[in-house]
Amino acid sequence: QVTLAESGGGLVQAGGSLRLSCKASGLSFNNWAMAWFRRAPGSEREFVAAISWSGARVYYADSVKGRFTIYRDRTNNIIELQMDNLKAEDTAVYYCNHREVGATPLYLVEWGGSPDVDYWGQGTQVTVSS
């Protein structure tokens, strides 16, 4: 019932920008958050950014803070990740995630852990060249 579909990836030069979108359906927003993760070849999944179900709170990994911005549209079914000043190390497959966080502030959530229930999209490739 819950489906997530990412789009917007592509090839961009270092210093350039891309905007990723996650179209979502069947979500439970109360006490759930949306997030972006990424995985480079041969690497483990890495947290990128998160947004509360209401869109009122956001949280970023240190590696992207000041360069990436996460948004939720007014319909609550599209989550966007604006990526500016891209670097070669940003190259990865980016995944949309929906997970329960309860009342925990986003910056205190154990994003590297495994929640009891979460949902993932299929990913979109971002390649940054120099």
Side-chain angles (χ1 to χ4, degrees):
Q1 183 175 350
V2 175
T3 59
L4 306 173
E6 303 92 340
S7 63
L11 175 65
V12 65
Q13 294 183 357
S17 299
L18 286 172
R19 182 172 65 88
L20 307 183
S21 296
C22 173
K23 296 185 66 176
S25 62
L27 302 181
S28 298
F29 287 101
N30 195 19
N31 294 322
W32 288 65
M34 299 295 300
W36 286 95
F37 288 75
R38 65 188 182 187
R39 179 182 281 118
S43 301
E44 292 296 315
R45 186 178 63 205
E46 177 189 17
F47 170 78
V48 176
I51 187 168
S52 66
W53 73 273
S54 68
R57 300 175 178 85
V58 296
Y59 176 62
Y60 301 95
D62 289 341
S63 60
V64 305
K65 188 175 182 179
R67 299 188 297 118
F68 291 10
T69 307
I70 188 170
Y71 303 92
R72 188 205 71 192
D73 79 345
R74 295 182 66 186
T75 65
N76 291 336
N77 67 349
I78 300 177
I79 305 298
E80 301 176 347
L81 183 70
Q82 177 67 42
M83 305 184 295
D84 298 318
N85 192 24
L86 284 161
K87 304 176 180 180
E89 52 263 43
D90 295 319
T91 296
V93 177
Y94 284 71
Y95 297 91
C96 185
N97 173 247
H98 180 55
R99 66 194 286 167
E100 187 175 12
V101 299
T104 305
L106 296 180
Y107 66 92
L108 294 178
V109 172
E110 186 62 52
W111 294 105
S114 298
D116 292 338
V117 179
D118 66 349
Y119 302 93
W120 296 91
Q122 295 300 306
T124 185
Q125 176 71 50
V126 172
T127 303
V128 183
S129 65
S130 60

